[in-house]
């Protein structure tokens, strides 16, 4: 604590298991003295109860071991952003004046959407639906695959509504545990449960007067759905442990990657709550359903990557454009954006180069070949490779007299096995490494070697 008093850091990262004090007690000490300082707790996989407790005690987030640099950097950025965006200023001055108030970690006033609409018929129809429903107070259900831009669509509806000058608060229902969902949505009073050291403002209160966006709403527990139904019907709520009724004027937009009618049929979602939300619905087309927009989005994301990296780039090699148009984009816009950020960093010239694309994308045709002919290793040679497709060399091919030595044959078999497993787990590299019984670093090194 003496170090904190001296240096006043923007963020604290601590393991839960310390020498002379556990991380939970350290968290309590920090929150008592510096209630707005974000704290990340590092826990083991077996410490889920510990993780829930530290979240209730005010931790910004917890990170489970083993630690992966890319993932923890994202969490750190979110924690630092939370201290700079100042959520509390979007609600009333009464809450702003209360230094004991904690704000929800996942509720965030959305920033500028940074989104461009395409020119395909599907995109034009999407814009028409947004323009139609935005001026109303209707609740809206947005359906779409992961990464298709559902939150951006919700924010666009808010920006075109009469509530545009009021808060837009988003909550990912799939990222919050059952134990914390009620507190995140409705808030709680100090002392309402063990670890409730401060009063907490929930998402509904933060969004009062504006729009509340609930992503992956079907993941909410039945108990939370019951409370949510009552609030939607009566527009009145109480914080957990509180007695004061709070009047609400909130437009609710929800999103799901599965049809809520199907969730109702399976008993996962209340039918009466579904009908409350289903005043209007929008289906966001996947990226592969609007191929005409792929390069529009790609150029938009390239401009963003150029600005971030400070690089002068002019566009894409023809082979890259061809690859983009034939790739299925299961991760939709999120995947496209990440691919371009990575490729812009790796490309050395003024054009995005084919060799800078991810292993699984360059080998997509190979994966299809394996799926259709599982017993065949179909090696495509440069001579038969289409001119508009980048040539990806096989794992290790020794062409002395059209003969392969034993080492090369073994590498080919290894290459084939890695591709099959990656396909089975939808290119989740952690799962693939576990199935292959190798660590993730080894898998990355092999993928890098095969792509050369």
């Amino acid at each position: 604590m003496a170090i904190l008093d001296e240096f006043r850091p923007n963020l604290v990262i601590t393991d839960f298991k310390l020498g002379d004090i556990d991380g939970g007690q350290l968290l309590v000490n920090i929150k008592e003295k510096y209630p707005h300082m974000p704290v990340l707790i590092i826990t083991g996989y077996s410490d889920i109860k510990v993780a829930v407790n530290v979240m209730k005690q005010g931790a910004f987030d917890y990170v489970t071991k083993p630690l992966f640099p890319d993932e923890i950097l994202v969490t750190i950025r979110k924690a630092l952003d939370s201290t700079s965006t100042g959520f509390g200023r979007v609600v009333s001055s009464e809450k702003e004046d209360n230094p004991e108030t904690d704000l929800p970690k996942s509720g965030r006033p959305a920033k500028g959407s940074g989104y461009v609409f395409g020119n395909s018929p599907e995109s034009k129809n999407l814009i028409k639906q947004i323009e139609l429903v935005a001026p109303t107070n209707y609740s809206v259900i947005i359906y779409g695959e992961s990464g298709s831009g559902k939150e951006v669509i919700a924010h666009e509806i808010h920006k075109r509504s009469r509530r545009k000058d009021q808060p837009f608060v988003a909550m990912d229902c799939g990222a919050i545990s059952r134990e914390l969902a009620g507190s995140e949505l409705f808030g709680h009073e100090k002392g309402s449960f063990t670890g409730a050291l401060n009063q907490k403002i929930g998402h509904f209160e933060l969004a009062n007067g504006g729009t509340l966006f609930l992503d992956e709403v079907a993941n909410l527990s039945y108990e939370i759905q019951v409370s949510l139904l009552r609030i939607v019907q009566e527009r009145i709520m109480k914080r957990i442990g509180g007695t004061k009724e709070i009047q609400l004027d909130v437009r609710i937009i929800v999103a799901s990657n599965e049809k809520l009618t199907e969730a109702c049929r399976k008993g996962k979602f209340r039918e009466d709550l579904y009908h409350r939300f289903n005043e209007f619905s929008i289906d966001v087309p996947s990226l592969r359903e609007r191929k005409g927009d792929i390069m529009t989005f790609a150029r938009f994301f390239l401009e963003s990557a150029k600005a971030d990296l400070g690089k002068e780039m002019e566009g894409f090699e023809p082979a890259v454009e061809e690859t983009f148009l034939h790739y299925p984009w299961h991760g939709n816009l999120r995947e496209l954006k990440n691919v371009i950020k990575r490729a812009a960093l790796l490309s050395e010239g003024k054009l995005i180069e084919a060799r800078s694309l991810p292993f699984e994308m360059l080998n997509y045709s190979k994966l299809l070949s394996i799926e259709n002919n599982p017993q065949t290793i179909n090696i495509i040679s440069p001579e038969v490779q289409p001119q508009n497709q980048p040539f990806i060399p096989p794992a290790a091919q020794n062409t002395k007299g059209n003969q392969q030595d034993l080492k090369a044959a073994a590498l080919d078999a290894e290459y084939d096995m890695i591709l099959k497993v990656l396909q089975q787990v939808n290119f989740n590299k952690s799962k693939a490494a576990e199935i292959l019984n190798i660590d993730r670093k080894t898998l990355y090194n092999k993928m890098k070697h095969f792509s050369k």
Side-chain angles (χ1 to χ4, degrees), residues 73 80 143 167 202 233-234 242-243 266 275 290 306 335 364 375:
L73 281 174
L80 292 175
Y143 293 112
Q233 288 175 333
E234 301 173 4
T243 57
K266 294 177 181 177
H275 289 300
R290 39 177 170 164
K306 283 165 54 179
E335 182 181 10
Y364 179 67
Q375 303 304 319

Side-chain angles (χ1 to χ4, degrees), residues 5 12 35 37 61 71 87 145 147 162 185 187 207 213 264 271-272 287-288 301-302 324 335 357 403 418 429:
D5 294 339
V12 175
M37 184 177 290
D61 209 341
E71 295 171 6
F87 301 88
E145 295 180 3
R162 293 191 293 269
L185 276 170
F213 173 64
C264 291
E271 189 172 354
D272 45 7
L287 190 54
R288 61 184 170 278
F301 291 140
L302 179 59
F324 281 2
E335 182 181 10
L357 298 181
Q403 297 293 323
I418 289 175
K429 298 176 183 65

Side-chain angles (χ1 to χ4, degrees), residues 182-194:
S183 177
E184 292 291 314
L185 276 170
F186 316 126
H188 62 249
E189 296 292 351
K190 183 177 180 179
S192 57
F193 53 82
T194 303

